[in-house]
């Protein structure tokens, strides 16, 4: 017995010496700060290294925590039970495409599948795995499938207003081949994807060189040097090696959002994922609408065009997207916060709500400026046939801020 105790004590001492040695060594290594390794999760073809946004938690904990909840961050994700909004439960897991074909949505050990089946056949026509999910699910989702390195959009989507599986908007009412997904489609929904085909119109991507969803680096650009610098100089509270939003021009600040919020743009010779914050968007792509007919823009995806046509924008010198939006927060339905933004410009000492509308009506609407001046408008593109003569469309807030008499 005593021999055993002696053995345990000696073993204990040896372990503590070893552990102690590493603790001290590790501490020393940190304070000397000569070499800090930050793993790269993906590399842009231009050489820019992407890192995990969890790296930012150390110094920007609240922003990261908030950001993980946003539609931006969740705009493109790996498909799994949590991220797919469509249901796999009996009774909700089918889509009748036409009188011959029905889609079944099936959960297997290996993943989640779309399986169209002809009425007179016993086995599905194909079984397609949903690998990636596009869309946070605020309005709907589309599903992408890998076939080796080729990426395709599957025929069935999910539509939030009806909480059901649907035929993708724009698809024919018959079984259609999966659509190739090109880099343009991904540019607005994810931080980085690398096309390996050599042609911007081909759908081959590097499967392991991705940054999913819209993360910090999509809006702030390269951050690796910033992180290394601040880890080495914790006493420096002034941001270094990062583009400062406040030092950009109004157009540059608008461009940072317009990249994805001004509709489908016509590209110059530049490729997708080449624009970064601080660049001049016009050098990368042009608006593909006529600025004289702004009122006709669809509310889906073109907040930029509509805002630019509003008097609030044309008559002020400072208004941009971040005047009303905190890009790090999920703010949907937080009307009190949005209304306060209006009042920052539209109230005076003598008139706290400088609105010439009917004061009784305004009070009835709880002073909700947006309800009357940025009403919900039905999208002309985000809609699906529901029954034979009924369509369901997504309602989107117009950014053409103005006077809408019909809302009253
Ligand atoms: C070791 C600490 C540290 C880490 C890690 C860190 N930052 Fe920072 N960052 C700072 C400091 C200090 C500032 C200046 C004070 C502030 O604005 O919070 C700053 C400021 C910023 C700014 C504001 C720039 C401006 O407009 O003034 C951005 C953007 C930013 N960081 C992005 C990031 C991102 C993205 C990550 C993660 C990839 C990250 N930071 C990780 C320390 C850090
Ligand atoms: C890389 C493309 C991209 C950039 C850059 C971008 N957005 Fe978005 N934004 C999107 C996409 C895609 C969605 C829809 C996400 C979803 O629901 O899947 C979205 C959604 C939003 C929403 C709705 C959020 C919600 O809760 O539904 C707001 C508000 C928004 N963006 C504002 C901004 C602002 C402000 C900027 C500039 C600071 C900006 N975006 C920059 C692509 C982008
Ligand atoms: C030019 C930028 C852009 C491109 C390209 C683009 N989208 Fe979007 N998409 C958006 C924006 C912005 C939103 C949300 C804001 C809105 O509705 O105005 C959105 C919304 C969506 C939504 C609904 C998300 C939700 O939950 O609300 C889906 C699904 C979607 N897009 C799929 C796709 C697919 C699939 C492609 C490629 C074939 C694509 N998008 C290409 C910008 C883009
Ligand atoms: C949709 C684009 C977008 C995304 C995504 C985004 N930011 Fe920002 N960020 C901005 C803009 C725009 C500003 C300037 C805001 C302003 O001036 O009101 C900003 C400001 C900042 C600032 C300085 C001001 C502040 O609010 O403290 C920090 C720090 C920052 N971002 C860190 C991050 C981190 C970390 C992430 C990822 C977790 C991130 N951002 C994701 C657009 C974005
Ligand atoms: C940066 C300041 C600013 C902000 C923020 C702002 N506006 Fe304005 N708005 C203006 C200016 C300036 C005008 C032009 C006033 C004039 O013509 O005398 C204007 C005009 C208007 C008009 C008259 C439009 C017309 O076509 O005649 C309405 C309505 C309006 N704003 C509502 C709003 C609402 C609602 C919000 C919040 C969602 C808002 N504004 C936010 C500055 C702002
Ligand atoms: C004057 C204030 C104001 C400005 C400026 C503004 N927005 Fe908005 N935005 C709003 C309000 C209010 C909503 C509705 C929020 C809600 O429904 O919860 C909204 C909603 C959105 C949505 C979601 C639309 C939907 O219904 O799904 C997107 C995307 C968006 N804004 C992008 C932008 C972009 C990009 C810019 C700059 C070009 C911008 N916004 C400028 C006030 C503003
Ligand atoms: C019940 C609907 C309603 C609500 C809520 C409402 N307004 Fe109005 N507002 C109107 C109407 C209608 C007009 C145009 C009145 C006219 O010209 O006859 C108007 C006019 C305006 C104008 C133009 C003033 C001018 O004479 O040029 C501004 C600015 C404005 N509103 C701001 C606001 C703000 C800020 C809020 C929120 C605090 C708000 N409104 C809430 C209905 C509304």
């Amino acid at each position: 017995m005593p021999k055993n105790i002696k053995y345990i004590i000696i073993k204990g001492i040896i372990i503590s010496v070893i552990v102690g040695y590493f603790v001290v060594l590790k501490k020393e290594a940190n304070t000397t700060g000569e070499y800090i390794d930050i793993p790269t999760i993906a590399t842009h073809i231009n050489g820019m290294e992407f890192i995990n946004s969890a790296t930012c938690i150390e110094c920007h904990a609240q922003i990261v925590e908030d950001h993980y909840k946003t539609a931006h961050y969740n705009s493109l994700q790996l498909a799994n039970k949590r991220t797919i909004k469509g249901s796999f439960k009996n009774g909700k897991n089918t889509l009748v495409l036409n009188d011959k074909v029905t889609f079944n949505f099936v959960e297997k050990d290996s993943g989640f599948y779309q399986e169209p089946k002809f009425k007179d056949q016993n086995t599905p026509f194909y079984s397609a795995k949903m690998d990636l999910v596009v869309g946070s699910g605020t309005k709907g989702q589309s599903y992408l499938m890998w076939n080796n390195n080729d990426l395709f959009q599957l025929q069935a989507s999910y539509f939030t207003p009806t909480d059901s599986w649907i035929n993708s908007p724009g698809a024919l009412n018959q079984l259609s081949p999966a659509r190739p997904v090109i880099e343009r489609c991904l540019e607005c929904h994810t931080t980085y994807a690398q096309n390996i085909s050599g042609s911007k119109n081909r759908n081959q991507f590097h499967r392991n060189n991705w940054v999913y969803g819209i993360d910090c680096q999509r809006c702030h650009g390269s951050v690796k040097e910033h992180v290394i610098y601040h880890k080495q100089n914790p006493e420096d509270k002034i941001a270094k090696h990062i583009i400062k939003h406040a030092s950009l021009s109004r157009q540059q600040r608008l461009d940072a959002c317009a990249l994805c919020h001004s509709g489908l743009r016509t590209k110059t010779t530049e490729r997708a994922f080449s624009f970064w914050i601080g660049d001049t968007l016009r050098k990368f792509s042009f608006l593909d609408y006529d600025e004289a007919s702004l009122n006709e823009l669809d509310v889906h995806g073109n907040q930029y065009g509509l805002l630019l046509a509003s008097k609030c924008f044309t008559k002020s010198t400072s208004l941009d997207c971040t005047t009303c939006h905190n890009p790090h927060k999920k703010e949907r339905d937080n009307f009190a916060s949005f209304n306060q933004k209006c009042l920052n410009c539209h109230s005076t000492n003598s008139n706290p709500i400088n609105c010439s509308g009917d004061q009784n009506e305004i009070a009835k609407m709880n002073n909700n400026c947006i309800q009357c001046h940025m009403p919900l408008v039905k999208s002309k593109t985000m809609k699906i046939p529901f029954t034979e003569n009924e369509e369901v469309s997504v309602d989107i807030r117009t950014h053409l801020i103005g006077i809408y008499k019909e809302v009253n």
Side-chain angles (χ1 to χ4, degrees):
M1 279 297 161
K3 212 180 164 192
N4 242 349
I5 290 171
K6 203 170 144 197
Y7 172 74
I8 289 169
I9 291 172
I10 291 173
K11 204 177 155 194
I13 291 171
I14 293 172
I15 290 173
S16 5
V17 167
I18 293 173
V19 169
Y21 176 76
F22 276 108
V23 167
V24 171
L25 198 76
K26 199 164 169 274
K27 227 180 162 183
E28 267 181 7
N30 257 346
T31 44
T32 57
E34 271 162 13
Y35 182 70
I36 290 171
D37 185 30
I38 296 166
T40 300
I41 56 166
T43 311
H44 195 291
I45 41 163
N46 70 11
M48 172 178 159
E49 293 173 59
F50 295 98
I51 61 176
N52 191 329
S53 56
T55 318
C56 321
I57 293 177
E58 185 183 334
C59 307
H60 305 295
Q62 191 61 49
I63 293 180
V64 179
E65 190 191 310
D66 288 343
H67 181 64
Y68 284 171
K69 298 183 193 137
T70 60
H72 278 149
Y73 185 71
N74 295 307
S75 195
L76 192 141
Q77 306 178 83
L78 293 172
N80 59 45
K81 193 151 199 163
R82 182 182 60 80
T83 56
I84 300 174
K85 301 284 180 218
S87 175
F88 295 91
K89 290 206 183 86
N90 274 337
K92 289 203 81 178
N93 60 347
T94 55
L95 162 65
V96 180
L97 187 65
N98 54 37
D99 49 16
K100 293 192 197 71
V101 184
T102 298
F103 271 88
N104 291 300
F105 300 90
V106 190
E107 180 180 352
K108 302 180 189 174
D109 288 341
S110 56
F112 300 85
Y113 295 81
Q114 304 195 350
E115 300 187 337
K117 196 162 80 63
F118 282 93
K119 214 174 191 173
D120 49 10
Q121 286 175 0
N122 294 326
T123 48
F125 187 65
Y126 63 71
S127 178
K129 188 164 181 245
M130 296 186 254
D131 291 309
L132 299 174
V133 180
V134 184
S136 64
T138 311
K139 303 183 191 82
Q141 294 185 325
S142 285
Y143 304 96
L144 312 185
M145 170 190 78
W146 286 113
N147 181 8
N148 297 318
N149 291 324
D150 295 359
L151 192 61
F152 294 94
Q153 181 181 0
L154 297 175
Q155 185 166 3
S157 293
Y158 169 78
F159 198 49
T160 308
T162 54
D163 183 24
S164 62
W165 297 98
I166 56 158
N167 189 13
S168 292
L172 297 173
N173 211 12
Q174 62 196 43
L175 208 51
S176 321
R179 289 184 226 173
V181 171
I182 56 168
E183 59 185 39
R184 275 301 295 284
C185 166
L186 300 170
E187 184 177 27
C188 295
H189 284 276
T190 204
T191 302
Y192 187 64
Q194 185 192 348
N195 181 328
I196 52 170
S197 73
S199 157
K200 63 182 178 186
N201 296 321
R202 296 277 297 280
N203 61 331
Q204 280 157 6
F205 295 93
H206 193 314
R207 288 179 66 160
N208 299 319
N209 199 28
W210 274 75
V211 185
Y212 298 109
I214 299 169
D215 95 342
C216 325
Q217 296 157 99
R218 191 78 186 96
C219 295
H220 291 296
S222 179
V223 288
K224 193 166 176 176
E225 248 190 280
H226 168 75
V227 172
I228 293 175
Y229 173 86
H230 283 286
K231 274 180 174 282
Q232 287 172 336
N233 301 280
E235 70 295 338
D236 192 348
K237 298 295 171 210
I238 295 166
K240 297 278 158 57
H241 302 292
I242 191 117
I243 292 170
K244 296 196 174 147
H245 202 252
S247 64
L248 300 176
S249 70
R250 187 193 199 187
Q251 190 56 48
Q252 283 174 312
R253 278 183 278 132
L254 285 162
D255 281 359
C257 311
L259 170 67
C260 310
H261 289 282
S262 56
L264 288 171
R265 304 173 63 93
T266 307
K267 286 265 176 214
T268 61
T269 51
E270 296 288 345
R271 297 285 293 270
F273 299 105
S274 49
F275 170 93
W276 294 96
I277 187 169
D279 289 338
T280 302
L281 188 53
R282 196 159 31 78
K283 295 189 184 149
F284 295 77
S285 54
F286 301 101
L287 297 172
D288 71 351
Y289 52 85
D290 178 3
E291 283 177 79
S293 56
L294 286 172
N295 297 353
E296 276 149 41
L297 291 181
D298 192 54
V299 282
H300 164 57
N302 210 336
Q303 290 78 19
Y304 173 78
L306 293 164
L307 183 70
L308 260 60
S310 311
K311 269 198 192 157
C312 304
F313 181 85
T314 56
K315 299 274 170 115
S316 80
T317 52
S318 60
L319 185 76
D320 69 32
C321 310
T322 56
T323 308
C324 299
H325 292 289
N326 176 339
H328 307 128
K329 278 210 166 130
K330 184 177 175 150
E331 313 170 285
R332 190 166 277 280
D333 297 335
N334 188 351
F335 294 120
S337 155
F338 287 115
N339 289 331
Q340 188 50 51
K341 305 286 162 53
C342 314
L343 292 174
N344 288 346
C345 293
H346 291 292
S347 67
T348 60
N349 281 343
S350 56
N351 195 352
I353 298 180
N354 212 349
C355 169
S356 51
D358 181 332
Q359 295 301 316
N360 288 330
E361 290 291 328
I362 297 171
K364 256 195 259 165
M365 293 232 185
N366 283 330
N367 297 341
N368 189 349
C369 323
I370 292 145
Q371 198 67 27
C372 293
H373 294 298
M374 294 181 75
L376 288 169
V377 174
K378 291 198 180 306
S379 170
K380 283 176 264 181
T381 55
M382 266 199 159
K383 61 178 183 188
I384 55 153
F386 194 50
T387 60
E388 209 132 305
N389 38 25
E390 195 193 345
E391 276 183 342
V392 179
S393 56
V394 171
D395 292 338
I396 302 182
R397 288 254 163 234
T398 180
H399 279 61
L400 187 65
I401 308 172
I403 291 163
Y404 296 81
K405 302 268 183 188
E406 67 277 21
V407 180
N408 298 340

